[in-house]
Structure formats: C-alpha cells, structure tokens
Amino acid sequence: MSVNKAYEIAREVYASIGVDTDAAINRVKNIPISINCWQGDDVKGFLFKNELSGGIQTTGNYPGRANTPDELRADVEKAMSLIPGNNRLNLHAIYADTTEKVDLDELEPRHFESWIQWAKERNIGLDFNPTCFAHPMADSGFTISSADEGVRNFWIDHCIRSRQIAEYMGKELGNKAVTNFWFPDGYKDIPYDREAPRKRMAEALDKVFADKSGWEYNLNALECKVFGIGAESYTVSSTEFMLGYAATRGIACCLDAGHFHPTEVISDKISSVLQFTDELLLHVSRPVRWDSDHVVIFDDELEAIAQNLIRTNLVDRTHIGLDFFDASINRIAAWTIGTRNMIKALLKAALEPTELLKQIELEGDYTSRLALVEELKTYPFAAVWDQYCEMQDVPVREAWLGEVKEYEKEVLSKR
Ligand code: RNT
Ligand code: ZN
C-alpha cells in the first residue's frame, strides 16, 4: 500500500477522536533536535590525541569513524539526509578545525570558522560544549572545582572562551546556540569535606558567567550528574547543586537521561524543573545499567519524555539534545536510529487528544483515562510517521539502512 493511502486512512481514524494529523506533523516539523557530533568519532575530537576521561567511555571498534572535520561533516550530512526536520549540530570544543597548536584555554571563534560556514550554507543551527575532560589538566579528577588555583583558572578560561565561541556562532548564524557545561569533578572514594569543592565550583561558575553581554546569542545550561566511573562516591555538580545554581542565575539546567539513579527518570523532572527555570536542555540518552550512553531506542521512557514535552507545551521552553556514543555499530546508523526515534516519539505524542484527556482527568474519570491512553497505543501512528518522512523527502521505514550500507561501502570502508 502506498504511504499516502495508509496516511489517508490514519488521518480519518485520528480525526474520529478529534486529532488533526496534519497539525501534528506541522508541530513536530518545527522542533529541532540537536544531534551530538561526538557519536561520529567516539568523542575523540581533532585537537589532541588524549584518551577519553571523566568517567565516560566508548566501547567498540567499528571501522570507518570520522578522522577529520571534513569527514565528520560529510557523515553528519549523510545522517541528516536520512532524518526528517531541520535539526541542529552539537559541537564540543575539541572539534575545533585548525592546524594551529592551540590549547583549550586559547580557543577562539576563528578556530570554528569552517563549522560556522558549513552551518550557514546548510541553514543548520549549532550548539556548543566546553570539553572539561580528556586533557592532562583534568587528570586529578577535578577541573573547575580543583583545589589547585592554576588548574581551576585553566578551566575557567576554557569555559569563558567556550561561551564566547557559542555567542559568536549564535550571532553569525542568526540562530541562538545552547552551550552545555558538564564537569566530571568528583572523588572515587568517600570525601571528608563535601562542601569545599562545591564552594569552589560555585565561585568558578560566577566567573564564567560574569559577563552577560552576549547572552542573547547563546543560552547557557548546566548538566548535573549522580556519579561517573572513577567518581562513584561523590560528584561535585549534583542535581541540587546544578539546579540550584541554574535557577538562581537565569541559566538552564541540563537533564541527561543517564545521570540519575537507575530507576529515576528524567521524563518526570521536566515539569518540575520548568517551574523554576525559563528553559531546559535535555540530553536524551539510554543508560543500560549505568550511564552507558547507548543509542536511543523507542522505549517507554523515550515516549514519556516526548509526552511530557508535548502534552503541556513545555517543548517550547526545552532544547532537545542527544547524548549517545556507540563505537560498536555503524556510527551514521547510530545517529539515524537515535534521532529518528526521538522525532518519532514526539510525533506519537503529538497525536494524542490532549484536551480531551486533560478534561477526563479533571473530571476524575480515571477509568476512561486509562482506557483511552491504552487504546491510543495501537492507533495507526506508523502511517503518520511514514507520511512525515515522505513529505520531508527522507527514506520511509528501513529504506535508510540501504543508503547507510552504500555509504559504508563507498566512503567509510576506505578510511
Ligand atoms: C557525561 C555527560 C556529557 C558528555 C558529553 C560528551 O556524562 O553526559 O554530556 O556525555 O558532553
Ligand atoms: Zn550528557
């Protein structure tokens, strides 16, 4: 059956419960997903040859990873051609494109000029991150909250420069950037003084965010975390720390799906955090037993995240970023699977009779609430998704996989 024919039927089915499928498609079309560049090269970047550190880890040795900025851009373009919507690219500082020998505390906007030109030509928004790991200055396990003033200042300088680079990007592109600050700082074993590093971090952040002149071009976000490998006993930037700092400073909080206790989910945090901050950043990821950063699949939590963004319109104040890195499968497939799933979940959530369900809940008719929500699960959502892909001129269903295999044969296997 043609995609169109199936869509016409689905449109009628959804119309019978008052859901406008065309409107749902239009709504989702305007929600950009910030695709994490680091899935393309296992978080290596182009500045140094350092080992990954900070308690995050890629595993796998699948051939064909991007080794240069040009290769990474080509790979991102390939993935973007398989994903519907006008999405963004999220860069880390270590992805600077330069032949100069430059350290993190010396980076300038010009080291990202090729990225900005590329994004401009393709009308792609850019987001940014300081890279506070995989560097000798992070070897103690502490960066911006280090007790060593030299170390601390190095990272403060890097963060200030990162913010300035992002502000430049946002201004140049006419498209506000989001910069996420994540610090691995913490202790492997039980600390004696839990306060001192937090005090130092708060003071360091005050310096990073002192100059507010470019904030209209860039939104700052702070990512909290419960633990990392090597920082099992104590993480300086806990949820309370980051949320407290962010909420009192006009900064956004970043919630990563893998940064909480195993049964704790970020879907339920969206509507809490957004009572106290204007904006929110998400790192949609898939933790398997730990913060493993597996490729995002279409699971219950992904659906719950999308529902909590769409049902309430909180999506308008939320920036959706992805954060996964799997080096054991084709990396372009990883991007495509994870990003398509995120968009798919948003679309499915946009196909709910929201007003009706809110009314039913207000009336206390929990029987109908459960009945309707359960029946909705088997509505012909797939036909609407296929239609959206076709409208956006990207492959329908698994047809994208053939294109990835072809690209692997023609491009990746020759690296
Ligand atoms: C680490 C954080 C952080 C990183 C990226 C590479 O636990 O989730 O967001 O994954 O910045
Ligand atoms: Zn993250």
Side-chain angles (χ1 to χ4, degrees):
M1 198 201 283
S2 78
V3 166
N4 243 287
K5 212 159 144 194
Y7 179 65
E8 286 311 320
I9 296 168
R11 176 159 44 189
E12 259 185 60
V13 176
Y14 277 107
S16 71
I17 47 164
V19 171
D20 179 342
T21 52
D22 294 331
I25 286 177
N26 268 326
R27 186 167 179 207
V28 168
K29 201 163 71 191
N30 293 316
I31 306 173
I33 308 299
S34 187
I35 299 175
N36 54 312
C37 80
W38 51 93
Q39 166 61 73
D41 77 330
D42 316 338
V43 209
K44 291 201 185 316
F46 308 119
L47 276 185
F48 317 111
K49 295 265 165 288
N50 303 335
E51 283 296 305
L52 191 55
S53 76
I56 58 176
Q57 212 164 9
T58 51
T59 52
N61 203 7
Y62 199 85
R65 85 175 152 78
N67 300 299
T68 65
D70 283 333
E71 287 180 356
L72 187 59
R73 282 189 278 265
D75 292 357
V76 169
E77 279 181 35
K78 186 72 215 175
M80 283 183 165
S81 76
L82 307 172
I83 299 166
N86 181 15
N87 299 303
R88 310 172 63 82
L89 184 70
N90 194 6
L91 288 172
H92 242 281
I94 47 171
Y95 289 83
D97 184 0
T98 175
T99 49
E100 286 172 47
K101 222 184 137 16
V102 55
D103 209 345
L104 293 174
D105 61 341
E106 300 162 337
L107 283 172
E108 290 180 33
R110 64 194 170 86
H111 300 120
F112 292 86
E113 208 50 65
S114 66
W115 284 109
I116 296 168
Q117 280 317 316
W118 174 82
K120 213 179 251 173
E121 280 157 26
R122 286 157 189 81
N123 191 26
I124 294 169
L126 291 178
D127 297 314
F128 203 66
N129 304 255
T131 309
C132 303
F133 53 83
H135 189 281
M137 284 295 230
D139 280 352
S140 69
F142 286 84
T143 63
I144 203 166
S145 71
S146 168
D148 179 323
E149 200 186 346
V151 172
R152 218 161 56 234
N153 286 338
F154 174 86
W155 293 108
I156 291 171
D157 288 346
H158 174 51
C159 287
I160 291 175
R161 282 173 184 261
S162 294
R163 189 173 54 62
Q164 289 166 343
I165 290 163
E167 288 162 5
Y168 178 82
M169 284 174 167
K171 191 171 178 189
E172 278 296 299
L173 296 174
N175 190 336
K176 196 168 171 174
V178 178
T179 299
N180 180 54
F181 296 78
W182 169 66
F183 307 103
D185 301 29
Y187 284 118
K188 179 183 175 74
D189 223 328
I190 306 160
Y192 184 76
D193 179 354
R194 289 177 179 263
E195 193 200 10
R198 291 188 169 131
K199 235 181 163 155
R200 287 194 295 267
M201 188 178 280
E203 278 166 19
L205 291 176
D206 286 345
K207 290 187 181 149
V208 171
F209 298 121
D211 173 16
K212 299 190 169 45
S213 58
W215 284 29
E216 67 220 269
Y217 304 114
N218 171 59
L219 172 75
N220 297 301
L222 293 171
E223 184 174 14
C224 58
K225 187 164 179 174
V226 64
F227 91 101
I229 293 187
E232 290 85 354
S233 301
Y234 170 80
T235 292
V236 182
S237 47
S238 62
T239 307
E240 293 75 10
F241 180 93
M242 285 312 213
L243 184 56
Y245 190 93
T248 52
R249 264 72 166 193
I251 291 172
C253 197
C254 170
L255 301 176
D256 182 308
H259 285 198
F260 298 88
H261 287 288
T263 57
E264 216 179 327
V265 284
I266 61 166
S267 52
D268 185 43
K269 299 181 189 297
I270 296 166
S271 57
S272 293
V273 170
L274 280 173
Q275 300 307 312
F276 307 103
T277 62
D278 291 339
E279 293 178 79
L280 172 68
L281 172 64
L282 295 182
H283 269 187
V284 182
S285 190
R286 179 165 53 107
V288 178
R289 303 186 191 284
W290 67 292
D291 181 31
S292 61
D293 293 295
H294 277 65
V295 177
V296 166
I297 59 171
F298 199 87
D299 58 9
D300 287 351
E301 171 59 0
L302 187 70
E303 284 206 66
I305 289 170
Q307 289 160 355
N308 280 282
L309 292 172
I310 294 285
R311 291 174 179 175
T312 49
N313 287 325
L314 290 176
V315 70
D316 298 342
R317 294 197 278 135
T318 304
H319 305 265
I320 306 174
L322 302 174
D323 187 8
F324 51 77
F325 29 99
D326 189 337
S328 74
I329 60 171
N330 180 299
R331 296 168 183 83
I332 293 157
W335 269 322
T336 308
I337 295 164
T339 317
R340 280 176 68 114
N341 277 333
M342 184 69 248
I343 300 166
K344 225 184 265 180
L346 291 168
L347 183 62
K348 192 169 179 204
L351 288 166
E352 293 178 346
T354 301
E355 289 319 311
L356 174 66
L357 278 158
K358 283 185 182 167
Q359 193 53 37
I360 285 172
E361 184 163 84
L362 273 181
E363 287 163 5
D365 183 1
Y366 306 141
T367 309
S368 300
R369 180 181 65 183
L370 183 62
L372 196 45
V373 164
E374 287 306 300
E375 288 302 333
L376 267 174
K377 289 181 179 173
T378 45
Y379 265 57
F381 150 70
V384 184
W385 166 247
D386 292 348
Q387 170 78 6
Y388 177 46
C389 288
E390 191 159 279
M391 278 171 66
Q392 290 278 304
D393 219 14
V394 302
V396 172
R397 295 192 283 275
E398 66 279 9
W400 62 265
L401 185 57
E403 289 202 33
V404 169
K405 294 279 185 196
E406 185 63 24
Y407 187 79
E408 179 166 271
K409 201 166 120 226
E410 296 302 321
V411 181
L412 303 181
S413 70
K414 299 185 176 138
R415 285 182 182 162

